[in-house]
Amino acid sequence: MKLPLSWLKEFVPGDLDPGVLTERLSMAGLEVEAVERLKPAFSDVVVAKVLRVERHPNAERLSVCEVDGGGAGRLNVVCGAPNVRAGMTSALAVVGARLAAEKNAGDQACGPALEAAVIRGVRSEGMLCSERELGLFDDHRGIVALPDDAPVGQSLADYLELDDCVFDVAVTPNRGDCLSILGLAREVAALLGRKLSPARTKRIRSVKRAAENSIAPIAIEITAPDLCPRYAALPMAKIAISDSPLWLRRRLKACGMRPVNNVVDVTNYLMLEIGQPLHAFDLDRLRQHRVIVRRAGEDRELETLDHVKRPLLKDDLVIADGEGPVAIAGVMGGLTSEVDNSTTRILLESAFFDPPSVTRTSRRLGLVSEASYRFERGVDRQGQIAALYRAAQLLSEVARGCEAGAVIDVEPQPQPIRQVEFSTKLITGLLGAAIPAGEAARRLRALGIKVKRTGKDSLEAVIPSFRADLREGADLAEEVARLTGLADIPTLPCRPSAEVGGEDQRRELLRAIGERLSACGLSEIKSLAFTAPEENRTFGRLQGTGPVKVTNPLSAELSELRQSLICGLVAALRFNLRREAQACHLFELGKVFYREHDELREGLRVAALSYGELAFRGLGERGRRADLFTLKGMIEGCLDTLGLVDKAEFVRLPGELAPYLHPGTATDVRLKTGGLLGRLGELHPELALTLEVDYPVAVCELDVGELITYGSLRKPVAPPPRFPAVRRDLALLLDRDFPAAQVRSVIAQADASLLESVELFDVYEGGSLPAGKKSVAVTCRYRAKDRTLTDQEVNLLHATVTSFAIERLGAVPR
């Protein structure tokens, strides 16, 4: 929300220091994100009155004007503007003035100094300026026209308050009341202990004028009171469409809004000033002089003011006339009832629309307007009539309009009075600071909340209609704290609970998984849970029978919930490759969604992707590229962390069961008892080709639910051994397709009580080995707990283990 300091001072009179204001607002929960200093793009320009206008004796299109510049005296000025006339008030640049440089119109840089000149034989002692020459707007059709009561001789920059300061205030979604100058001024007045001076509006009495202007009665009907509990309207006639006065357009521009015409500008101005969005219909274009607030029903389309045909759903709230929709309620008006240069009679709309309804329609259409932004957060439930009074007052000033009928107020669901009872004990308990009941009541009254004492420590608050966010005593305690400043609330040490909660094993396991994968050099990512149907079909799933479709997807590419995390990792790899990344090592912990016999299910997964050179390497060594085996090692490390490395096995998987994996690398990670933990492999060459990668892409996905069920961080702790181990190596010649991991598991089953561990350290193929064969080498370690083993004992044990391995594996020793 943009807050010009000059506009704020109309509501909170007196000097306001921008620095102090920024700090107090921010500490009260209304963060000031930026402060913009505005400076005029000119100097030495004053308000002047044109006294006399005569035709230039030597030029048909020029005039010679006598101008009263106040302290500058009476000057002769040659002017070529077609709108110059005697009696008008305008902007006079005296000799020595600097105007906005032509190429930088609107910037704060000034051009060269103005000098007196002789134009076609007549001396000109100044210059009557257009808006473009002053850097205000791009209009160069004539000189600036100021109100007749503008003080002659006053600096134009001071009169228009161009030397200003604009605060950019971040308003939280629950504070819709602060999306207006009045709302923020109310906060400032309360924070600084000042008196709030809102703009005065006169009640209009228009019954006689309705008869004078012959306006047929306007019928208003609400058929959807749940979506529109109040709708008010005011007809106005004798409207003269033109540009708005300069002061009004300057304020709109300072707040980031584009001026259109005086009627539209007044509705936008009041939306900024008091927070109530208004809309003006061309009254002569409302068929049958009827307004019906209803659901769209059978109407399927409406062309809005931006010339776009918007699709309607049957539950969208629309404003209709006697024949069809003319506006999307709370979002944007329709083109058929637009106010244009031919408009002379209007119907002003001021309503309260259900915030969730406006949000749904606005988001679905991708159409977020300044009005919808405020309706979504809630406007003042009782501010509709006051807004119409204020609009009528401004339109009579800037558009010469007059009311042509009484205000029509339809309110099928009046708002009940909201009362909240609370006590100072509640405030003390929540804030940790004792605040007397009288002081608490004073602070709340400063915010417009009516408070009365109902007991020694108890109070009752009547919540104003503009504060929809206040519902209970805790909300009022927060308001009491804000006015002092949240930073002033004392910091107290937390009292330890009498009972210490138990350790969350699930959370500890998840953290351990993430830490282990991070230690392996993988970076954690978070991706969207939405994906395209094609991605779900490509990457498959560990469980389930079908995908979960999104009822109202953001796009066709995000129309299903993901069944696998691998699609998100591959998308991240593609993103990095397009930016010339040479390596990418990622993992993600997240949920997947699937159907299981027509029931919606969700599961927790961990997935990893490794591509390119790994980060860890020795000094002077070449880094190893990631492949199936490096990622397998990372997964084994993760399983070891959970105590599952000896309970799991890697089983070769037929390629047709995992079509996204290379047929020669597709592997299941299973428990030895038969449960599926996950899947591992390299991306299928066809998929890798679409990524334009130079090396294999290794991926895996594990079921975290199974890991948590069977894993544990608690491992047995044993004292360091007192006696040394003795190592013996064993190399066996096996068929090339024989799993090397199975060699280790078979040898570990040998009947040798002193066999401590079996470690695989080499797999060799080619060279002098027979075709179709490979050499698998393992290290066997032997240790006794009560003595140092002799070579004779170890040799005997190792011979027993070797014989057992040869017999069980059908291998040949090397």
Side-chain angles (χ1 to χ4, degrees):
M1 175 68 194
K2 302 286 187 179
L3 176 63
L5 185 61
S6 59
W7 202 346
L8 175 64
K9 287 182 178 180
E10 289 190 4
F11 293 86
V12 186
D15 293 333
L16 296 173
D17 183 84
V20 173
L21 200 56
T22 297
E23 181 182 2
R24 293 303 301 272
L25 282 172
S26 298
M27 295 310 301
L30 296 166
E31 181 185 0
V32 178
E33 295 184 326
V35 179
E36 181 183 4
R37 303 283 178 170
L38 302 182
K39 295 290 183 181
F42 57 84
S43 64
D44 296 319
V45 178
V46 299
V47 177
K49 179 75 74 174
V50 179
L51 303 177
R52 182 169 53 87
V53 177
E54 296 179 353
R55 178 175 293 181
H56 193 290
N58 302 319
E60 292 185 1
R61 296 186 179 182
L62 297 180
S63 302
V64 179
C65 308
E66 183 182 355
V67 180
D68 180 7
R74 296 194 174 189
L75 307 173
N76 282 335
V77 176
V78 176
C79 178
N83 66 327
V84 65
R85 56 179 175 79
M88 76 177 297
T89 306
S90 188
L92 172 67
V94 299
V95 173
R98 294 179 180 271
L99 303 180
E102 186 68 23
K103 63 178 180 180
N104 292 321
D107 291 350
Q108 296 180 3
C110 294
L114 184 68
E115 299 178 355
V118 176
I119 302 175
R120 296 288 183 92
V122 177
R123 180 178 175 80
S124 180
E125 301 170 310
M127 178 179 176
L128 293 173
C129 304
S130 68
E131 293 177 3
R132 181 192 295 177
E133 290 160 341
L134 297 173
L136 300 175
F137 293 96
D138 202 32
D139 188 3
H140 198 56
R141 295 171 297 177
I143 60 174
V144 171
L146 298 174
D148 293 339
D149 59 355
V152 174
Q154 183 181 8
S155 166
L156 182 68
D158 293 341
Y159 175 71
L160 295 178
E161 298 176 320
L162 300 181
D163 192 351
D164 204 355
C165 181
V166 179
F167 303 91
D168 192 351
V169 184
V171 180
T172 53
N174 65 317
R175 293 303 305 273
D177 61 299
C178 288
L179 291 174
S180 66
I181 306 298
L182 174 61
L184 290 173
R186 186 183 294 112
E187 293 286 318
V188 171
L191 290 169
L192 301 182
R194 304 276 186 91
K195 183 179 180 181
L196 181 68
S197 302
R200 295 180 177 273
T201 56
K202 299 178 181 179
R203 291 184 64 89
I204 54 179
R205 305 182 183 279
S206 53
V207 177
K208 292 183 179 179
R209 294 196 181 188
E212 293 173 0
N213 294 303
S214 301
I215 297 295
I218 309 295
I220 295 181
E221 179 184 1
I222 300 177
T223 63
D226 55 324
L227 303 183
C228 178
R230 189 175 195 183
Y231 190 95
L234 171 68
M236 297 194 72
K238 298 183 178 180
I239 298 292
I241 301 294
S242 64
D243 291 335
S244 297
L246 190 55
W247 64 268
L248 195 154
R249 286 183 285 143
R250 282 294 298 168
R251 284 192 168 174
L252 290 179
K253 183 179 179 181
C255 291
M257 298 198 73
R258 178 180 61 88
V260 180
N261 58 50
N262 49 3
V263 172
V264 176
D265 291 350
V266 164
T267 60
N268 288 334
Y269 181 86
L270 289 178
M271 178 178 64
L272 294 172
E273 183 181 67
I274 61 179
Q276 173 65 50
L278 302 173
H279 183 68
F281 296 101
D282 188 319
L283 187 56
D284 295 319
R285 296 183 181 182
L286 289 178
R287 293 157 293 193
Q288 302 178 18
H289 271 214
R290 294 182 64 196
V291 172
I292 308 171
V293 187
R294 60 172 174 83
R295 288 177 168 85
E298 299 301 321
D299 295 302
R300 287 291 175 263
E301 190 176 72
L302 174 66
E303 187 172 2
T304 48
L305 291 172
D306 55 359
H307 298 273
V308 176
K309 293 183 178 180
R310 309 284 181 179
L312 299 175
L313 298 181
K314 63 178 182 179
D315 288 329
D316 288 338
L317 187 66
V318 299
I319 311 301
D321 60 10
E323 298 182 17
V326 293
I328 302 174
V331 180
M332 185 174 285
L335 193 63
T336 58
S337 58
E338 178 186 19
V339 172
D340 57 22
N341 292 336
S342 64
T343 300
T344 58
R345 303 193 300 178
I346 63 172
L347 182 70
L348 281 175
E349 168 196 277
S350 180
F352 181 92
F353 299 117
D354 178 55
S357 171
V358 176
T359 300
R360 285 193 300 269
T361 304
S362 174
R363 295 296 184 271
R364 180 179 62 80
L365 296 174
L367 185 61
V368 180
S369 62
E370 290 287 342
S372 69
Y373 186 78
R374 286 162 174 78
F375 279 126
E376 288 174 13
R377 287 152 179 77
V379 300
D380 185 354
R381 182 64 171 76
Q382 298 296 325
Q384 287 70 49
I385 304 302
L388 290 177
Y389 291 156
R390 177 77 170 133
Q393 179 181 339
L394 284 177
L395 286 173
S396 65
E397 297 174 6
V398 305
R400 299 198 299 273
C402 62
E403 59 274 17
V407 169
I408 308 167
D409 185 13
V410 181
E411 189 176 14
Q413 292 186 1
Q415 183 186 35
I417 296 176
R418 293 180 296 148
Q419 296 180 334
V420 176
E421 294 183 358
F422 64 105
S423 66
T424 54
K425 292 181 180 179
L426 173 66
I427 297 177
T428 303
L430 291 173
L431 304 183
I435 298 178
E439 176 63 15
R442 184 192 67 78
R443 296 183 189 180
L444 293 175
R445 291 190 186 106
L447 293 170
I449 303 170
K450 297 179 181 179
V451 182
K452 65 178 181 179
R453 298 279 292 270
T454 57
K456 181 180 179 181
D457 297 320
S458 60
L459 301 99
E460 182 181 84
V462 178
I463 308 300
S465 58
F466 55 82
R467 290 301 301 271
D469 60 310
L470 302 181
R471 298 182 178 89
E472 57 184 30
D475 297 328
L476 297 173
E478 181 184 4
E479 294 302 296
V480 172
R482 283 195 317 108
L483 287 193
T484 303
L486 297 176
D488 294 336
I489 300 298
T491 302
L492 301 176
C494 296
R495 297 181 179 179
S497 174
E499 298 182 1
V500 178
E503 182 180 310
D504 189 337
Q505 183 180 3
R506 181 176 180 274
R507 184 178 299 172
E508 291 295 322
L509 287 168
L510 291 175
R511 184 171 61 185
I513 293 171
E515 289 177 350
R516 186 57 186 252
L517 293 176
S518 296
C520 291
L522 304 182
S523 300
E524 185 174 8
I525 69 166
K526 292 293 182 184
S527 60
L528 284 177
F530 305 104
T531 190
E534 182 181 353
E535 297 288 319
N536 270 337
R537 289 193 298 269
T538 299
F539 293 103
R541 57 191 179 275
L542 293 178
Q543 292 175 319
T545 58
V548 178
K549 296 184 178 181
V550 180
T551 302
N552 186 21
L554 298 174
S555 67
E557 291 75 19
L558 301 173
S559 60
E560 289 184 0
L561 294 177
R562 65 188 178 192
Q563 293 179 277
S564 170
L565 298 182
I566 296 178
C567 54
L569 294 175
V570 171
L573 172 63
R574 183 181 295 110
F575 179 88
N576 283 274
L577 290 175
R578 289 174 178 173
R579 284 150 184 82
E580 300 184 0
Q582 300 301 315
C584 192
H585 308 284
L586 310 169
F587 80 94
E588 180 174 8
L589 268 165
K591 290 183 178 181
V592 297
F593 308 86
Y594 55 91
R595 287 186 178 275
E596 188 71 56
H597 303 300
D598 294 330
E599 292 186 10
L600 301 183
R601 301 287 182 87
E602 65 178 39
L604 191 59
R605 303 282 188 268
V606 58
L609 179 147
S610 191
Y611 167 77
E613 193 172 282
L614 293 168
F616 43 84
R617 65 173 76 177
L619 184 62
E621 298 178 356
R622 289 185 59 188
R624 178 173 178 176
R625 292 196 186 101
D627 56 18
L628 172 69
F629 298 104
T630 58
L631 186 57
K632 177 175 177 285
M634 297 177 190
I635 298 306
E636 286 179 326
C638 188
L639 294 175
D640 182 58
T641 299
L642 303 177
L644 292 175
V645 70
D646 293 326
K647 300 177 183 179
E649 60 182 353
F650 294 83
V651 181
R652 185 64 59 85
L653 182 69
E656 62 270 15
L657 296 181
Y660 63 94
L661 295 178
H662 191 296
T665 64
T667 305
D668 269 353
V669 185
R670 292 184 172 274
L671 291 169
K672 292 179 180 179
T673 56
L676 179 64
L677 292 178
R679 194 153 286 163
L680 167 71
E682 294 177 356
L683 278 186
H684 195 283
E686 291 182 359
L687 282 175
L689 187 62
T690 63
L691 295 172
E692 298 181 1
V693 293
D694 299 322
Y695 318 114
V697 180
V699 295
C700 77
E701 185 169 25
L702 300 177
D703 187 336
V704 176
E706 292 293 303
L707 296 178
I708 291 175
T709 300
Y710 295 102
S712 174
L713 296 178
R714 295 181 177 88
K715 296 183 179 180
V717 179
R722 296 176 57 191
F723 301 96
V726 181
R727 167 178 171 170
R728 291 288 187 272
D729 293 341
L730 173 62
L732 301 172
L733 193 63
L734 297 163
D735 291 338
R736 187 175 60 183
D737 295 334
F738 195 91
Q742 191 172 340
V743 176
R744 176 180 172 276
S745 61
V746 167
I747 295 176
Q749 298 171 11
D751 186 15
S753 59
L754 300 181
L755 179 60
E756 183 180 63
S757 66
V758 181
E759 301 171 10
L760 178 69
F761 72 88
D762 183 57
V763 177
Y764 173 73
E765 296 181 28
S768 60
L769 296 182
K773 297 292 184 178
K774 67 180 177 182
S775 172
V776 178
V778 297
T779 293
C780 300
R781 297 183 186 276
Y782 302 91
R783 190 195 307 268
K785 296 181 180 180
D786 56 350
R787 69 188 188 280
T788 300
L789 295 176
T790 65
D791 286 342
Q792 184 179 359
E793 288 179 295
V794 173
N795 291 338
L796 183 60
L797 287 169
H798 189 62
T800 302
V801 170
T802 301
S803 299
F804 178 82
I806 292 172
E807 180 183 350
R808 293 291 298 271
L809 296 172
V812 177
R814 290 190 65 202

Coordinates of all heavy atoms in Angstrom, one line a residue, residues 333-371:
G333 N -15.6 -4.6 -14.0 CA -16.8 -4.3 -14.7 C -16.8 -4.8 -16.1 O -15.8 -5.2 -16.7
G334 N -18.0 -4.8 -16.7 CA -18.2 -5.2 -18.1 C -18.1 -4.1 -19.1 O -18.4 -2.9 -18.8
L335 N -17.8 -4.4 -20.3 CA -17.6 -3.4 -21.4 C -18.9 -2.8 -21.8 O -19.0 -1.6 -22.2 CB -16.9 -4.1 -22.6 CG -16.4 -3.1 -23.6 CD1 -15.3 -2.2 -23.1 CD2 -15.9 -3.9 -24.8
T336 N -20.1 -3.5 -21.7 CA -21.3 -3.0 -22.2 C -21.9 -1.8 -21.3 O -22.6 -1.0 -21.8 CB -22.4 -4.1 -22.1 OG1 -22.5 -4.6 -20.8 CG2 -22.0 -5.2 -23.1
S337 N -21.4 -1.7 -20.1 CA -21.9 -0.6 -19.2 C -20.8 0.4 -18.9 O -20.9 1.1 -17.9 CB -22.5 -1.2 -17.9 OG -21.6 -2.0 -17.2
E338 N -19.8 0.4 -19.7 CA -18.6 1.2 -19.4 C -19.0 2.7 -19.5 O -19.7 3.2 -20.3 CB -17.5 0.9 -20.5 CG -16.3 1.8 -20.3 CD -15.3 1.5 -21.4 OE1 -15.7 1.0 -22.5 OE2 -14.1 1.8 -21.2
V339 N -18.3 3.5 -18.6 CA -18.4 4.9 -18.6 C -17.5 5.5 -19.7 O -16.3 5.2 -19.6 CB -18.2 5.5 -17.2 CG1 -18.1 7.1 -17.3 CG2 -19.2 5.1 -16.3
D340 N -18.0 6.2 -20.7 CA -17.1 6.8 -21.7 C -17.4 8.3 -21.9 O -18.2 8.9 -21.1 CB -17.2 6.1 -23.0 CG -18.6 6.0 -23.6 OD1 -19.4 6.9 -23.2 OD2 -18.9 5.1 -24.4
N341 N -16.9 8.9 -22.9 CA -17.0 10.4 -23.1 C -18.4 10.8 -23.3 O -18.8 12.0 -23.2 CB -16.1 10.8 -24.2 CG -14.6 10.7 -23.9 OD1 -14.3 10.7 -22.7 ND2 -13.8 10.6 -24.9
S342 N -19.3 9.9 -23.7 CA -20.7 10.2 -24.0 C -21.6 10.1 -22.8 O -22.8 10.4 -22.8 CB -21.2 9.4 -25.2 OG -21.3 8.0 -24.8
T343 N -21.1 9.6 -21.7 CA -21.9 9.3 -20.5 C -22.3 10.6 -19.8 O -21.5 11.5 -19.6 CB -21.1 8.5 -19.5 OG1 -20.7 7.2 -20.1 CG2 -21.9 8.2 -18.3
T344 N -23.6 10.7 -19.5 CA -24.1 11.9 -18.7 C -24.8 11.5 -17.4 O -24.9 12.3 -16.5 CB -25.1 12.7 -19.6 OG1 -26.1 11.8 -20.0 CG2 -24.4 13.2 -20.8
R345 N -25.2 10.2 -17.3 CA -25.8 9.7 -16.1 C -25.1 8.4 -15.7 O -24.9 7.5 -16.6 CB -27.3 9.5 -16.4 CG -28.0 10.7 -16.9 CD -29.5 10.6 -16.8 NE -30.0 9.5 -17.6 CZ -31.3 9.1 -17.7 NH1 -32.2 9.8 -17.0 NH2 -31.7 8.1 -18.5
I346 N -24.9 8.3 -14.4 CA -24.2 7.1 -13.9 C -25.0 6.5 -12.7 O -25.8 7.2 -12.1 CB -22.8 7.4 -13.5 CG1 -22.8 8.4 -12.3 CG2 -21.9 7.9 -14.7 CD1 -21.4 8.6 -11.7
L347 N -24.7 5.2 -12.5 CA -25.1 4.6 -11.2 C -23.9 4.1 -10.5 O -23.1 3.3 -11.0 CB -26.0 3.4 -11.5 CG -26.6 2.7 -10.3 CD1 -27.6 3.6 -9.6 CD2 -27.2 1.3 -10.7
L348 N -23.7 4.7 -9.3 CA -22.5 4.4 -8.5 C -22.9 3.1 -7.6 O -23.9 3.1 -6.9 CB -22.1 5.5 -7.6 CG -21.3 6.7 -8.2 CD1 -21.1 7.8 -7.2 CD2 -20.0 6.2 -8.7
E349 N -22.0 2.1 -7.7 CA -22.2 0.9 -6.9 C -21.2 0.9 -5.7 O -20.0 1.2 -5.8 CB -21.9 -0.3 -7.8 CG -21.7 -1.6 -7.0 CD -21.1 -2.7 -7.8 OE1 -21.8 -3.3 -8.6 OE2 -19.8 -2.9 -7.7
S350 N -21.7 0.6 -4.5 CA -20.9 0.4 -3.3 C -21.4 -0.8 -2.6 O -22.6 -0.8 -2.1 CB -21.0 1.7 -2.5 OG -20.2 1.5 -1.3
A351 N -20.6 -1.9 -2.5 CA -21.1 -3.1 -2.0 C -20.1 -3.8 -1.1 O -18.9 -3.5 -1.0 CB -21.5 -4.1 -3.1
F352 N -20.6 -4.9 -0.4 CA -19.7 -5.8 0.3 C -19.9 -7.2 -0.3 O -21.0 -7.7 -0.3 CB -20.1 -5.8 1.8 CG -19.2 -6.7 2.6 CD1 -18.1 -6.2 3.2 CD2 -19.5 -8.1 2.8 CE1 -17.2 -7.1 4.0 CE2 -18.7 -8.9 3.5 CZ -17.5 -8.4 4.1
F353 N -18.8 -7.7 -0.8 CA -18.9 -9.1 -1.4 C -18.1 -10.0 -0.5 O -17.1 -9.7 0.1 CB -18.3 -9.0 -2.8 CG -19.0 -8.1 -3.8 CD1 -18.4 -7.1 -4.3 CD2 -20.3 -8.4 -4.1 CE1 -19.0 -6.2 -5.2 CE2 -21.0 -7.5 -5.0 CZ -20.4 -6.5 -5.5
D354 N -18.6 -11.3 -0.5 CA -18.0 -12.3 0.3 C -16.5 -12.5 -0.1 O -16.3 -12.9 -1.3 CB -18.8 -13.6 0.1 CG -18.2 -14.8 0.9 OD1 -18.0 -14.7 2.1 OD2 -17.9 -15.8 0.2
P355 N -15.5 -12.4 0.8 CA -14.1 -12.4 0.3 C -13.7 -13.8 -0.3 O -13.1 -13.7 -1.4 CB -13.4 -12.2 1.7 CG -14.3 -11.4 2.5 CD -15.7 -11.9 2.1
P356 N -14.1 -14.9 0.2 CA -13.7 -16.2 -0.5 C -14.3 -16.3 -1.9 O -13.6 -16.8 -2.8 CB -14.3 -17.3 0.4 CG -14.4 -16.7 1.8 CD -14.7 -15.2 1.5
S357 N -15.5 -15.8 -2.1 CA -16.1 -15.8 -3.5 C -15.3 -15.0 -4.4 O -15.0 -15.4 -5.6 CB -17.5 -15.3 -3.4 OG -18.0 -15.1 -4.7
V358 N -14.9 -13.8 -4.0 CA -14.0 -12.9 -4.9 C -12.7 -13.6 -5.2 O -12.2 -13.6 -6.3 CB -13.9 -11.5 -4.3 CG1 -12.9 -10.7 -5.1 CG2 -15.2 -10.8 -4.1
T359 N -12.1 -14.2 -4.1 CA -10.8 -14.8 -4.3 C -10.9 -16.0 -5.3 O -10.0 -16.1 -6.2 CB -10.3 -15.4 -2.9 OG1 -10.2 -14.3 -2.0 CG2 -9.0 -16.0 -3.1
R360 N -11.9 -16.8 -5.2 CA -12.0 -17.9 -6.1 C -12.1 -17.5 -7.6 O -11.4 -17.9 -8.5 CB -13.2 -18.8 -5.8 CG -13.0 -19.7 -4.5 CD -14.1 -20.7 -4.5 NE -15.5 -20.1 -4.4 CZ -16.1 -19.8 -3.2 NH1 -15.5 -20.0 -2.1 NH2 -17.3 -19.2 -3.2
T361 N -13.0 -16.5 -7.8 CA -13.2 -16.0 -9.2 C -12.0 -15.3 -9.7 O -11.6 -15.5 -10.9 CB -14.4 -15.1 -9.2 OG1 -15.6 -15.7 -8.7 CG2 -14.7 -14.6 -10.6
S362 N -11.4 -14.5 -8.9 CA -10.2 -13.7 -9.3 C -9.1 -14.6 -9.7 O -8.4 -14.5 -10.7 CB -9.8 -12.7 -8.2 OG -8.6 -12.1 -8.5
R363 N -8.8 -15.6 -8.8 CA -7.7 -16.5 -9.1 C -8.0 -17.4 -10.3 O -7.1 -17.7 -11.1 CB -7.5 -17.4 -7.9 CG -7.0 -16.7 -6.6 CD -5.6 -16.0 -6.8 NE -5.1 -15.4 -5.6 CZ -5.4 -14.2 -5.3 NH1 -6.2 -13.4 -6.1 NH2 -4.9 -13.6 -4.2
R364 N -9.2 -17.8 -10.5 CA -9.5 -18.7 -11.6 C -9.4 -18.0 -12.9 O -8.9 -18.5 -13.9 CB -11.0 -19.2 -11.5 CG -11.4 -20.1 -12.6 CD -12.8 -20.6 -12.4 NE -13.8 -19.6 -12.4 CZ -14.2 -18.9 -13.5 NH1 -13.8 -19.3 -14.7 NH2 -15.1 -18.0 -13.4
L365 N -9.7 -16.7 -12.9 CA -9.6 -15.9 -14.2 C -8.3 -15.3 -14.3 O -8.0 -14.8 -15.4 CB -10.7 -14.8 -14.1 CG -12.1 -15.2 -14.2 CD1 -13.1 -14.0 -14.0 CD2 -12.5 -16.0 -15.4
G366 N -7.4 -15.4 -13.3 CA -6.1 -14.8 -13.4 C -6.2 -13.3 -13.5 O -5.4 -12.6 -14.2
L367 N -7.2 -12.7 -12.8 CA -7.5 -11.3 -13.0 C -7.6 -10.7 -11.6 O -8.6 -10.8 -10.8 CB -8.9 -11.1 -13.6 CG -9.4 -9.7 -14.0 CD1 -8.4 -9.0 -14.9 CD2 -10.8 -9.7 -14.6
V368 N -6.5 -10.1 -11.2 CA -6.4 -9.5 -9.8 C -6.3 -7.9 -10.0 O -5.4 -7.4 -10.6 CB -5.1 -9.9 -9.1 CG1 -5.0 -9.2 -7.7 CG2 -5.1 -11.4 -9.0
S369 N -7.4 -7.3 -9.6 CA -7.5 -5.8 -9.7 C -7.3 -5.2 -8.3 O -7.3 -5.9 -7.3 CB -8.8 -5.4 -10.2 OG -9.9 -5.9 -9.4
E370 N -7.1 -3.9 -8.3 CA -7.0 -3.2 -7.0 C -8.3 -3.4 -6.1 O -8.2 -3.6 -4.9 CB -6.8 -1.7 -7.2 CG -5.4 -1.3 -7.8 CD -4.3 -1.5 -6.7 OE1 -4.6 -1.5 -5.5 OE2 -3.2 -1.6 -7.1
A371 N -9.4 -3.5 -6.8 CA -10.7 -3.7 -6.1 C -10.8 -5.1 -5.5 O -11.1 -5.3 -4.3 CB -11.9 -3.5 -7.0

